[in-house]
Amino acid sequence: MNEVPRGRLKVYLGAAPGVGKTYRMLDEARRRAGRGADVVVAFAECHGRPRTAAVLDGLEVVPPVRCAHRGGEFEELDLAAVLDRRPEVAVVDDLAHGNVPGGGRNAKRWQDVEALLAAGTDVITAVNVQHLESLKDVVEKITGVPQHETVPDEVVCRARQVGSYHQVVGGDVASTLVEFARAENATQLVLGASRRGRLERFVTGLGTGESVVALSGDIDVHRVTHERAGSGTLLPSRRRTLSRARLIAGPVAGLVLPVLLTLGLAQLRGTLNLTSEALLFLLAVVGVACIGGVASAVIASVTASLLLNYWFIPPIGAFTLDDPNALLALTVFAVVAATVAAVVDRSLRLSRRAARATAEAETMSSLAGSIVRGGQTIPALLERTRETFAMESAELVDEPLDMAGVTAVPAGSGAYLALHGRDMSSSERRVLAAFAAHVGAAVERARLAEAAAEVEPVKAADRMRTALLRAVGHDLRTPLAAGWAAVTSLRSRDVEFSVEDRDELLATADESMARLNRLVENLLDLSRLEAGVLRLNLRPTTLEEVLPAALADTPGVQVGDVEKIPEVLADPPLLERVIANLVANAARYSPPGAQVLVTASVLGGRAELRVVDRGPGLPAAGRERLFEPFQRLGDTDNSTGLGLGLALARGLTEAMSGTVTPEDTPGGGLTMVVSLPSAGCAAAS
């Protein structure tokens, strides 16, 4: 039998209600339907917005199911109808919505979406950021409003990723971008268009966009304008401080700029003195040094000094190299040019190194943070490493690989991180070593977690075994001892018992054997529950049918009006055991003279049975411990029994699709609420 491929999830994530998520979601549904896809609207909330309702026209809508809850009527997603319809695409609004309880529905709508995805249906849905589980505390601090309906982050993270964020490390922006695009099998690149003028392009050469176009090959490159285009900076290369374009433009400027300046000053002859003319030539040399570095500055200084000597130092039209002043001017030009060029070269080198270090630090910080938060599995870390360095693949190996195009670095004890695709530079290897250290730490943590997971069941079993041995020593021995003593006395021929004494001994033996039988049955039923082999015979059952037998062993219980409660879908003997255990527990903790109260009501298609006591109650923090096997809330003696009653009651109830929850009793005490589906609603669903 072929496995149905899982459907794809697309989530429209909004910053707040009313930003247009539902409109965009339905608009996409219309576009998909127009392309021939089988699309249905499983559930959509238009909130009275005419434009949103207009987009809904023409789409097939699965009618919602109406549910009663707390005296009101609500509309919910009809999951069964959508699954029967089996569309290619289903639109499900409000991913974080909590479903009305009852009728076999999931607790949350995102669970309905998971069921649709598992059935092979693509789902388009929407949710606001405040409903993400990891952000609910932050949102509450900002708004002061708690978020009760949340979606686990991993549900949204499984959505089909269409523009995700990636950080890559490389020496040149253009080549690194193209390498990463090829590694990801990208067919299109979208870049911002540069707003540099022609002169700036001539001086600095090709920008990132032009370089990407030149290197892209069969990848389509789209260049778009933006109001802030050109305001950013490029990540410098560690291999050189000046780009190839500036290395070419510098010497050219060293020859051309002094000539152009000479032509301009020749037109102003007589207006400026020699000092001003020399300063302008010096300024031109400094400009060339900023463009092309030391070599270009030397060319500019020689050219400028010769032109200054020939055209502006008397005698004009002749070289006077034997003049000490001319030689001094040439020397000053060379020294100033070299000094300025060295400063520019050093500043460029330091700025590029700082920019690269910043980029590497941000990448490592992001990686380390995700590892500390536990947000990265080993495969995810390997994939992130591969994409960061634009490689073909990344893997963990037991020994270093020595072949062309493969780089391997140590990643912890006995493991190596190997990247396939190209040879890496020494600077990239240094960053890769840091990545490998994080990967090694993640591997070690995974090993420790796996070891802890293997040990935890053993520890849990040992704790249960210890508790059982401690409790059994008293709870089984007491009825055994009492019954044994009664039977031994009756068999004794040394004592002649009266009829009353004989009846009392027989009653003691009978009561002891009955108590022992209940303990053994509880242990066996709990074992069947944990093993998943408990057989159920669910049928419509009235509370009047099971209450008399359930209350037989606990005298003095006050029963409310249960005749009007409709039938529930339950296994009568198991429901009897549940009620008996809850009532016995309530009677154990009730003060002398206080009666246990049993009442029932109907809420949202379910019957709720309440067992009320007036005992000391229990803080909310410790209530879940009530339902742990062999848990007796820290009692120091063995008078409270094995502690199986509540654990068994909850287990049996959940096996019948019900719940057992503790509540505070008004005025003091604890109330156990048993909720079971009504037989009529269960049959309708």
Side-chain angles (χ1 to χ4, degrees):
M1 182 176 180
N2 294 330
E3 184 179 355
V4 177
R6 183 177 175 85
R8 295 180 298 179
L9 176 65
K10 184 171 184 179
V11 179
Y12 281 87
L13 191 63
V19 297
K21 303 182 301 299
T22 303
Y23 181 89
R24 295 298 181 189
M25 182 175 60
L26 294 175
D27 184 58
E28 178 176 346
R30 290 179 64 91
R31 286 187 277 109
R32 292 199 187 190
R35 294 196 296 265
D38 181 18
V39 181
V40 301
V41 178
F43 197 89
E45 290 278 3
C46 294
H47 300 288
R49 300 184 179 99
R51 289 189 61 197
T52 305
V55 182
L56 191 60
D57 291 341
L59 292 172
E60 180 183 349
V61 179
V62 177
V65 62
R66 295 185 175 274
C67 309
H69 182 61
R70 298 185 183 273
E73 192 173 52
F74 302 89
E75 293 184 345
E76 294 290 358
L77 166 67
D78 193 344
L79 178 60
V82 180
L83 290 173
D84 290 340
R85 172 64 175 75
R86 298 185 64 85
E88 293 180 25
V89 183
V91 177
V92 181
D93 203 0
D94 196 0
L95 184 64
H97 173 74
N99 293 328
V100 172
R105 282 179 294 275
N106 292 316
K108 296 290 185 179
R109 186 165 291 166
W110 63 263
Q111 295 173 319
D112 296 336
V113 168
E114 286 291 305
L116 292 173
L117 294 173
T121 298
D122 293 350
V123 177
I124 307 174
T125 186
V127 69
N128 288 327
V129 293
Q130 68 262 30
H131 294 299
L132 294 180
E133 197 167 79
S134 62
L135 298 179
K136 66 178 183 180
D137 295 337
V138 179
V139 172
E140 184 175 352
K141 288 181 180 178
I142 296 174
T143 64
V145 179
Q147 299 296 323
H148 300 293
E149 294 186 334
T150 59
V151 180
D153 288 25
E154 58 268 20
V155 174
V156 179
C157 290
R158 285 197 295 268
R160 179 165 61 101
Q161 296 185 353
V162 294
S164 57
Y165 176 72
H166 303 273
Q167 281 183 300
V168 295
V169 175
D172 179 72
V173 174
S175 60
T176 302
L177 181 59
V178 173
E179 288 174 359
F180 175 74
R182 294 192 190 283
E184 294 294 317
N185 294 320
T187 58
Q188 299 187 56
L189 286 173
V190 180
L191 303 176
S194 174
R195 292 188 176 182
R196 297 178 303 157
R198 293 183 179 179
L199 178 60
E200 187 177 0
R201 292 188 182 186
F202 171 77
V203 173
T204 61
L206 296 177
T208 300
E210 292 88 349
S211 300
V212 169
V213 171
L215 298 171
S216 61
D218 57 353
I219 299 177
D220 295 333
V221 180
H222 304 274
R223 301 179 63 195
V224 296
T225 59
H226 189 272
E227 61 181 4
R228 297 187 64 185
S231 62
T233 58
L234 301 180
L235 182 64
S237 170
R238 293 179 62 91
R239 295 188 290 259
R240 58 176 183 264
T241 56
L242 295 176
S243 64
R244 183 179 293 104
R246 292 179 67 174
L247 291 175
I248 297 175
V252 174
L255 294 173
V256 174
L257 284 182
V259 173
L260 293 177
L261 182 59
T262 299
L263 294 176
L265 292 177
Q267 302 297 323
L268 300 175
R269 191 180 299 277
T271 304
L272 301 175
N273 58 25
L274 181 59
T275 303
S276 298
E277 293 167 341
L279 289 175
L280 290 175
F281 274 101
L282 183 59
L283 181 61
V285 172
V286 172
V288 172
C290 293
I291 295 174
V294 177
S296 299
V298 172
I299 295 174
S301 65
V302 173
T303 305
S305 61
L306 292 176
L307 290 174
L308 181 64
N309 184 284
Y310 186 84
W311 288 101
F312 300 101
I313 296 177
I316 297 174
F319 289 106
T320 55
L321 296 179
D322 56 347
D323 187 352
N325 290 325
L327 293 176
L328 179 61
L330 181 60
T331 303
V332 170
F333 267 77
V335 171
V336 171
T339 303
V340 172
V343 172
V344 171
D345 185 77
R346 177 175 174 78
S347 64
L348 286 173
R349 190 184 302 275
L350 292 177
S351 64
R352 288 175 180 269
R353 185 180 301 171
R356 184 178 180 86
T358 300
E360 293 174 357
E362 290 177 351
T363 302
M364 298 307 302
S365 175
S366 175
L367 179 68
S370 62
I371 293 176
V372 170
R373 293 190 299 269
Q376 295 278 6
T377 61
I378 302 302
L381 285 173
L382 293 176
E383 175 61 19
R384 182 165 184 178
T385 304
R386 182 201 65 79
E387 70 181 21
T388 298
F389 295 95
M391 302 294 277
E392 295 178 358
S393 63
E395 61 177 339
L396 283 172
V397 296
D398 296 332
E399 56 185 17
L401 302 177
D402 187 10
M403 61 183 70
V406 178
T407 303
V409 294
S413 177
Y416 293 85
L417 175 61
L419 270 65
H420 301 256
R422 60 181 174 84
D423 294 329
M424 301 180 67
S425 64
S426 58
S427 60
E428 288 178 320
R429 286 174 177 267
R430 180 177 59 81
V431 181
L432 178 60
F435 266 71
H438 286 294
V439 172
V443 170
E444 185 63 24
R445 190 178 67 178
R447 289 174 179 170
L448 293 175
E450 183 178 354
E454 293 176 353
V455 171
E456 188 58 34
V458 178
K459 292 172 60 179
D462 185 66
R463 287 195 298 268
M464 182 171 290
R465 187 183 303 110
T466 302
L468 178 61
L469 291 175
R470 289 176 178 174
V472 164
H474 178 275
D475 292 287
L476 291 182
R477 183 168 48 191
T478 299
L480 277 175
W484 194 358
V487 172
T488 301
S489 299
L490 289 172
R491 294 186 62 186
S492 174
R493 297 182 180 181
D494 298 333
V495 180
E496 189 70 29
F497 293 101
S498 64
V499 175
E500 292 80 5
D501 292 338
R502 182 177 295 274
D503 290 341
E504 183 178 353
L505 288 173
L506 288 173
T508 300
D510 183 67
E511 181 181 351
S512 299
M513 293 303 103
R515 181 179 177 186
L516 183 61
N517 183 65
R518 285 195 299 270
L519 289 173
V520 173
E521 285 182 349
N522 281 346
L523 284 170
L524 291 176
D525 285 343
L526 191 63
S527 300
R528 294 190 189 103
L529 275 175
E530 294 181 348
V533 295
L534 184 68
R535 293 186 178 181
L536 299 177
N537 180 24
L538 299 179
R539 65 174 178 83
T541 306
T542 64
L543 296 180
E544 296 174 283
E545 178 182 349
V546 297
L547 277 176
L551 304 180
D553 293 336
T554 309
V557 178
Q558 181 182 355
V559 181
D561 187 11
V562 298
E563 290 81 3
K564 298 181 181 179
I565 304 302
E567 294 178 326
V568 297
L569 191 64
D571 185 313
L574 295 187
L575 181 57
E576 178 186 325
R577 296 282 302 284
V578 169
I579 298 174
N581 284 340
L582 293 179
V583 170
N585 185 77
R588 182 180 300 117
Y589 289 101
S590 294
Q595 286 186 317
V596 176
L597 174 64
V598 177
T599 63
S601 61
V602 178
L603 179 62
R606 297 176 72 88
E608 292 188 347
L609 179 75
R610 284 177 164 78
V611 179
V612 184
D613 69 56
R614 294 291 180 179
L618 188 68
R623 288 179 181 174
E624 282 304 309
R625 295 181 57 205
L626 282 171
F627 303 99
E628 296 178 8
F630 314 116
Q631 169 59 46
R632 296 179 295 189
L633 300 181
D635 292 340
T636 56
D637 59 27
N638 291 320
S639 62
T640 54
L642 282 174
L644 294 178
L646 294 182
L648 184 61
R650 170 172 278 190
L652 294 176
T653 305
E654 291 178 348
M656 296 184 289
S657 300
T659 60
V660 177
T661 54
E663 293 180 353
D664 288 324
T665 301
L670 195 66
T671 298
M672 290 293 180
V673 183
V674 180
S675 176
L676 289 168
S678 298
C681 292
S685 62

